Amino acid sequence: MQPYALTLDRFIDHAAKWHGATEVVTVGGGGHSGRIGYAALRDRSRRLSGAFRALGLRAGDNLGLLAWNSQAHLECWYGALGVGIVCHTLNPRLSPAHLAGMIHQAANRVLVVSADLTALAGTLVQLCPTIDHVVVLEEPGSAAVPPDYDRVTSWLHEDLLARLGAEMAWGGFDENAPAGLCFTSGTTGAPKGVTYTHRSNYLHTVHQLQADASGLTARDSVLVAVPMFHANGWGFPFSGPGVGAKLVLPGRHQDGASLARVINTEGVTVAAGVATVWLGLVDHLDRTGGETPTLRRIMLGGAAVPQALMDRLERRLGALVQTSWGMTELSPLGTTASPTAPVRRAAQSGRPPLGVDLLLTDADGAPLPEQRGQAGRLRVRGASVVERYFGQDAPAVDADGWFDTGDLAIIDADGNVSITGRAKDLIKSGGEWINPMEIEAIVGALPGVAQVAVIARADAKWGERPVLVVEVCQDAKVTDQALLDALRPRVPSWWLPDAIVRLAGMPLAATGKIDKARLRADHG
Ligand code: ADP
């Protein structure tokens, strides 16, 4: 058979050739939007390749990208990927010091930023002597001016294309070449870098497209509300063009009103993002009374979903909620609930696709003799699973090639995986473990509870004790007594939280997950 290299430029070439008029839509401010067909997007990306080369970037160099989801951002990805430049995605919600550390590690010379992030970029330019060019991506409907930084040259994306754009041939390199660099969310500790290869992302796309996973087709309109800096936007910037689905990119406009508008104007059928984003959407619809008739399915992942939230989303949106489990280190897909499964529960994240293999072990890494119905630590193996963290010599896998996720899971007789906890989140009280996720699942299922988190508080006698933090839905009355009464019959008495903290809004971490580090600092 032919040695057909599995490189990512193939996706946009395929989309341009077979779905050339299918659109990529970007949401801008003030109701503006931008749109382009895949054929035209590919032409612009090809010319951007020449511009990146003219700025001095070579195959294997990391291009820094600090940007919201947009056509311009996508063009930069493919412009870089086509000639072997590595997309190093950066999360604008991190602190400048964290970002500077990542830019330093990746030796980024060119930084691409969204127009509303030029002030942050200015701080980074001061902190990072490696940066010598900044490229500003404009938002549809508003013109930006190139910022004036000391030392570095700044460009507007359109000017860069007009002045230095030159069509380049794509591909022709090894499929094992690096394609992307992404740091983990850092929910529990310092973020670690993961390098994706062309081959690993290509195969991840094939995993993600399976019918029991994303199952996208050319008839779908996909709202990618997961940021492109969160583990490759869960792979949708590849799988969308891969099947010729329409891509809807919300820019920085992730509020309920903007999402409701774009779902209706663009006929969105499938939407992907963390639960907190969809909570904003249903809150908005409840306030204003709108509907989203085209939406068939919402893919959730990145954190556990309370059952009450899943029920509320399904009822209010008339769409199916598809849970999934993944992590940056898995590119990110680990498992998904099948959209056609007769029973789907919030706690269940479904099965792995072909190409991802799972193993439950004890805390020392020994495989559990019984892989069904017993809780263990989840290990993963596959062509889109990390082998070694960026910049580290030691492998991240054991002698048999298994990567330890640090997640605790149980697999039922049908092979459905439920994530039951995170080893690093466990609370040690009097030498015994309390699992926050079990308490969160019970409280999260109560009507009127919007969001819940359980954290450890230092305790002189027991070492650590659990504290329950809740956000209650507007107008709902949920007493402390009701919260404790729900827990009492279902957890050991010493698991009952010592304190209940009520917040009007949960603090969210950089990728939209509940920020447990903040909660620990404030209430732990
Ligand atoms: P971080 O580990 O810093 O949060 P990631 O964004 O890569 O960075 O998150 C991966 C983690 O998110 C997983 O290890 C797991 O603990 C959690 N997670 C993802 N999906 C789920 C899910 N469906 N249920 C419970 N936890 C989940």
Side-chain angles (χ1 to χ4, degrees):
M1 289 295 119
Q2 300 178 6
Y4 182 90
L6 305 181
T7 56
L8 298 169
D9 49 301
R10 310 256 192 214
F11 291 125
I12 204 77
D13 277 349
H14 175 83
K17 188 167 175 182
W18 302 107
H19 307 274
T22 302
E23 287 175 330
V24 173
V25 179
T26 305
V27 180
H32 290 278
S33 55
R35 55 188 70 238
I36 190 170
Y38 278 123
L41 188 141
R42 170 180 167 276
D43 288 349
R44 285 170 58 88
S45 299
R46 283 217 170 206
R47 287 195 296 119
L48 259 182
S49 298
F52 288 144
R53 292 294 282 265
L55 295 184
L57 293 176
R58 294 290 173 267
D61 288 349
N62 294 310
L63 169 67
L65 298 139
L66 182 75
W68 311 117
N69 294 7
S70 69
Q71 171 197 327
H73 190 176
L74 192 68
E75 285 169 6
C76 289
W77 272 30
Y78 280 103
L81 292 167
V83 289
I85 297 166
V86 183
C87 294
H88 171 206
T89 50
L90 292 151
N91 183 339
R93 299 194 187 99
L94 295 173
S95 71
H98 269 123
L99 290 169
M102 294 171 187
I103 290 171
H104 176 75
Q105 272 192 66
N108 293 139
R109 292 188 34 241
V110 179
L111 184 65
V112 172
V113 301
S114 288
D116 65 316
L117 299 172
T118 50
L120 173 57
T123 309
L124 294 174
V125 163
Q126 282 172 1
L127 294 172
C128 307
T130 54
I131 301 176
D132 49 31
H133 290 275
V134 172
V135 179
V136 178
L137 307 180
E138 292 158 281
E139 190 182 75
S142 62
V145 277
D148 191 10
Y149 303 126
D150 281 350
R151 190 173 57 73
V152 309
T153 315
S154 66
W155 302 82
L156 291 182
H157 173 242
E158 289 300 335
D159 292 344
L160 179 74
L161 248 184
R163 287 173 46 198
L164 298 183
E167 197 159 302
M168 300 265 314
W170 278 355
F173 48 82
D174 189 332
E175 63 182 24
N176 289 301
L181 171 62
C182 179
F183 284 78
T184 60
S185 300
T187 313
T188 55
K192 287 182 269 189
V194 177
T195 304
Y196 306 117
T197 64
H198 281 262
R199 175 187 151 85
S200 74
N201 275 343
Y202 193 112
L203 291 173
H204 178 269
T205 307
V206 176
H207 304 158
Q208 196 243 48
L209 282 171
Q210 291 170 33
D212 282 329
S214 83
L216 293 187
T217 73
R219 290 168 301 288
D220 280 312
S221 169
V222 187
L223 172 60
V224 188
V226 46
M228 287 161 73
F229 52 75
H230 190 196
N232 286 327
W234 298 355
F236 289 99
F238 303 127
S239 58
V243 294
K246 177 175 174 179
L247 278 186
V248 180
L249 306 174
R252 64 195 160 87
H253 308 282
Q254 299 252 31
D255 58 288
S258 302
L259 293 177
R261 185 176 342 107
V262 76
I263 288 170
N264 286 318
T265 54
E266 303 307 331
V268 168
T269 56
V270 177
V274 295
T276 41
V277 169
W278 309 117
L279 188 60
L281 174 64
V282 286
D283 279 347
H284 167 80
L285 294 176
D286 281 350
R287 272 196 310 275
T288 61
E291 303 295 331
T292 51
T294 56
L295 189 63
R296 285 189 289 104
R297 181 153 54 96
I298 291 192
M299 293 189 72
L300 291 184
V305 192
Q307 184 68 44
L309 177 59
M310 175 165 165
D311 294 343
R312 183 174 170 217
L313 291 177
E314 294 204 330
R315 235 185 359 253
R316 186 63 186 84
L317 301 172
L320 184 144
V321 168
Q322 189 180 9
T323 51
S324 68
W325 164 77
M327 56 197 308
T328 307
E329 290 90 333
L330 312 188
S331 306
L333 180 59
T335 65
T336 54
S338 168
T340 56
V343 183
R344 290 163 300 99
R345 293 217 321 271
Q348 286 190 342
S349 302
R351 300 189 188 89
L354 173 70
V356 175
D357 196 10
L358 306 181
L359 177 74
L360 288 176
T361 71
D362 63 18
D364 301 323
L368 296 186
E370 184 48 72
Q371 291 283 311
R372 296 289 186 269
Q374 268 197 40
R377 263 178 99 117
L378 194 52
R379 291 188 182 226
V380 191
R381 203 161 63 170
S384 52
V385 177
V386 70
E387 185 173 49
R388 198 179 301 269
Y389 285 103
F390 177 68
Q392 295 193 5
D393 291 331
V397 296
D398 67 18
D400 298 319
W402 293 99
F403 167 69
D404 180 5
T405 65
D407 284 339
L408 310 171
I410 191 162
I411 306 178
D412 74 10
D414 292 330
N416 281 305
V417 175
S418 295
I419 302 298
T420 56
R422 213 170 165 160
K424 276 181 276 183
D425 271 355
L426 295 180
I427 298 170
K428 201 165 198 179
S429 173
E432 300 284 342
W433 295 107
I434 296 174
N435 185 350
M437 204 179 274
E438 283 185 45
I439 302 176
E440 288 160 3
I442 296 167
V443 173
L446 297 177
V449 171
Q451 302 203 74
V452 51
V454 173
I455 53 163
R457 175 176 283 178
D459 186 275
K461 183 166 176 202
W462 302 105
E464 288 179 342
R465 290 292 303 152
V467 173
L468 177 69
V469 186
V470 282
E471 176 191 329
V472 174
C473 298
Q474 246 181 347
D475 303 328
K477 297 232 175 339
V478 185
T479 62
D480 286 2
Q481 198 55 44
L483 295 170
L484 294 173
D485 284 349
L487 288 170
R488 249 183 216 110
R490 303 188 52 192
V491 299
S493 58
W494 54 275
W495 280 35
L496 290 182
D498 278 10
I500 298 179
V501 176
R502 289 166 182 271
L503 298 181
M506 278 286 176
L508 299 182
T511 45
K513 305 185 194 194
I514 294 177
D515 188 348
K516 285 205 167 176
R518 244 302 278 296
L519 288 178
R520 276 188 209 109
D522 293 350
H523 308 285

